Amino acid sequence: MSRRSYAEECGFISRVSECEFRINTGFVEHMRVPGSFYVNKHLEQLMFEELEVYTKRGDTGGFLPAMKQIANVAGLPGIVKKSIALPDVHSGYGFAIGNVAAFDMDDPTAVVSPGGVGFDINCGVRLVRTNLVEKDIQDVKEQLAQSLFDHIPVGVGSQGIIPTSTDALEAALEMGMDWSLREGYAWAEDKEHCEEYGRMLTANPNKVSARAKKRGLPQMGTLGAGNHYAEIQVVDEIYDKSAAGKMGIEQKGQVCIMIHSGSRGFGHQVATDALTAMERAMARDGIVTNDRQLACARIQSEEGQDYLAGMACAANYAWVNRSSMTFLTRQAFGKMFNCTPDDLDMQVIYDVSHNIAKVEEHMVDGRQKRLLVHRKGATRAFPPHHPLIPVDYQFTGQPVLIGGTMGTCSYVLTGTDKGMEETFGSTCHGAGRARSRNNSRNKIDYEQVLDSLKTKGISIRVASPKLVMEEAPESYKDVTQVVDTCHTAGISKKTIKLRPVAVVKG
């Protein structure tokens, strides 16, 4: 009997619809609410195969399959409705990557968990449009890729070229994109097209350790390594002309730039510091979880409030980081085409967060409630007419930026009312891993990956060629399958497909 049929026959897992499964309470101990995951037929096999492998091998090295992690999150105090996983879900630290969970702000037992945000706080994606088309860059594509590589510091331990003193860092942590605007590294319009307008007002630099600030100081305006990239893309398909037009996307072949990065070592240290403090708080307050990686604290406790203030600083750092790289990208393009970025209409379409926790209002059991929504490897996707999205997108819904894997397509989606009802206004964030980083290094040759990109006509600049193996398309799920699942489920809507022509990676 297959693992899938066994789990279903035991009543633990049941199909809700074509694209959704329910994990019933009892799948793991202490579940307070059910779990839920969205997959199509192809992706569902990956989920059940992972569970089957885990069941046969037992607990090896602390690894937990995504399905079990989703259920473990459903046992956290104060969680409401269900623990949700999007189709790009895969195993992570504490929460699965691609997991969404919301906690009742009015419940004194409700918790905040750094594992529900991740170590790269506010890792996210920004999309910048231009008025160029593919034929405009065809003859200078290699030079343009090199110019981007020269302008944006990339790679492990890369140092920023945006001048940042200790006082400037403190101001950036508190002000977010308002600091970038004040210092001349952003356009006023950029802020309007950014989640939270590029600034979390709850940030308090006094709640951040000296070590975190020391790590963050030299890295402002740096791409980093891993799955972070700056990619020159062209519009490959337009599914919704009206929504695309509101974003300034008028035709196939139009050139865009996608920047994917986060809070670098600063955010990692904020998360590390918080986990240490929360382990002590759990012992003091008698909080029990199914997994020690789900370290957490009461939202209203000192540890909980300190983490949220520090997390907001890291979120602001990430927005400043992406703004700084947008500034450098505009310089690179302006220099290449001997004009100003304004002449090229290099406007930010939108900037979304993939790893964050925020206080939002949602309907739960027919009542409007204030919730702390954790999105880890998931994207906010608010529907048309929502007050927190820009006026430009009021009739179309929030733009949702879905980065593909290296050498594959990316997408722009829009938020829907159904997503607001079912997933707290959330959708996928990318392709999601199919192989671990270690597995990818052992089974994929980096020279083959680079050759494959060249064969596709994609220019590439990498600081660490061997890290390319970890980011090869073979290491990930098919982003089109992921996006199509969200579209079919109705939790977000396909708007634009983008094809890469040049990529810069750490």
Side-chain angles (χ1 to χ4, degrees), residues 15 57 93 103 136 157 198 234 251 330 344 384 388 425 455 484:
R15 183 184 289 277
R57 291 182 182 174
Y93 182 92
F103 298 81
D136 295 326
V234 296
Q251 60 182 310
R330 285 169 172 157
L344 297 174
L388 293 182
T455 301
D484 284 349

Side-chain angles (χ1 to χ4, degrees), residues 4 15 17-21 37-48 86-88 477-486 488-489:
R4 176 177 165 237
R15 183 184 289 277
S17 67
E18 178 188 359
C19 293
E20 184 184 3
F21 282 86
F37 59 94
Y38 291 83
V39 286
N40 63 9
K41 287 186 178 179
H42 174 74
L43 298 172
E44 118 186 22
Q45 293 305 314
L46 295 176
M47 289 288 284
F48 284 101
L86 289 316
D88 50 339
K477 298 174 184 176
D478 182 343
V479 69
T480 299
Q481 296 266 6
V482 170
V483 165
D484 284 349
T485 302
C486 292
T488 301

Side-chain angles (χ1 to χ4, degrees), residues 12-13 21-25 27 31 34-37 67 70-71:
F12 291 132
I13 299 171
F21 282 86
R22 176 188 175 100
I23 304 173
N24 297 306
T25 54
F27 183 68
M31 287 178 70
S36 173
F37 59 94
M67 215 181 290
I70 297 161

Side-chain angles (χ1 to χ4, degrees), residues 70-269:
I70 297 161
N72 284 341
V73 168
L76 290 174
I79 190 170
V80 299
K81 213 166 181 178
K82 56 186 177 179
S83 171
I84 302 160
L86 289 316
D88 50 339
V89 65
H90 58 100
S91 181
Y93 182 92
F95 280 54
I97 296 166
N99 203 170
V100 176
F103 298 81
D104 187 349
M105 293 290 292
D106 295 324
D107 181 345
T109 70
V111 298
V112 56
S113 176
V117 172
F119 285 94
D120 192 359
I121 296 167
N122 193 8
C123 178
V125 173
R126 172 174 292 207
L127 187 64
V128 180
R129 72 174 188 239
T130 75
N131 56 19
L132 299 166
V133 293
E134 187 170 11
K135 67 179 181 180
D136 295 326
I137 66 169
Q138 200 63 53
D139 294 337
V140 295
K141 189 173 61 175
E142 288 294 335
Q143 298 97 302
L144 196 53
Q146 187 63 45
S147 183
L148 262 188
F149 188 74
D150 291 341
H151 276 77
I152 299 175
V154 301
V156 178
S158 51
Q159 302 269 317
I161 59 174
I162 301 291
T164 313
S165 64
T166 303
D167 289 343
L169 177 64
E170 292 272 343
L173 298 181
E174 183 177 349
M175 296 172 66
M177 279 183 65
D178 285 333
W179 180 85
S180 300
L181 191 58
R182 187 187 76 182
E183 299 298 317
Y185 298 120
W187 295 354
E189 306 94 307
D190 295 351
K191 220 186 118 173
E192 297 301 312
H193 287 176
C194 185
E195 190 170 331
E196 294 292 310
Y197 299 101
R199 179 180 185 179
M200 290 192 79
L201 298 175
T202 52
N204 183 351
N206 294 326
K207 301 300 182 182
V208 174
S209 70
R211 178 166 173 76
K213 292 173 184 176
K214 184 178 179 181
R215 290 184 68 179
L217 189 62
Q219 292 185 334
M220 189 73 76
T222 64
L223 192 64
N227 63 350
H228 295 162
Y229 58 80
E231 193 167 272
I232 302 170
Q233 303 171 336
V234 296
V235 175
D236 200 42
E237 297 286 346
I238 298 176
Y239 305 105
D240 185 333
K241 288 186 177 181
S242 176
K246 290 292 185 183
M247 300 174 200
I249 299 299
E250 304 291 349
Q251 60 182 310
K252 291 175 67 171
Q254 190 169 339
V255 175
C256 298
I257 305 97
M258 184 175 277
I259 298 170
H260 177 207
S261 190
S263 50
R264 306 287 279 111
F266 179 85
H268 195 284
Q269 192 63 47

Side-chain angles (χ1 to χ4, degrees), residues 363-385:
M363 297 299 291
V364 178
D365 298 327
R367 295 174 55 203
Q368 186 164 298
K369 298 188 78 70
R370 287 176 71 247
L371 306 176
L372 182 63
V373 182
H374 294 59
R375 293 188 182 94
K376 180 182 182 181
T379 315
R380 192 187 77 175
F382 281 176
H385 312 300

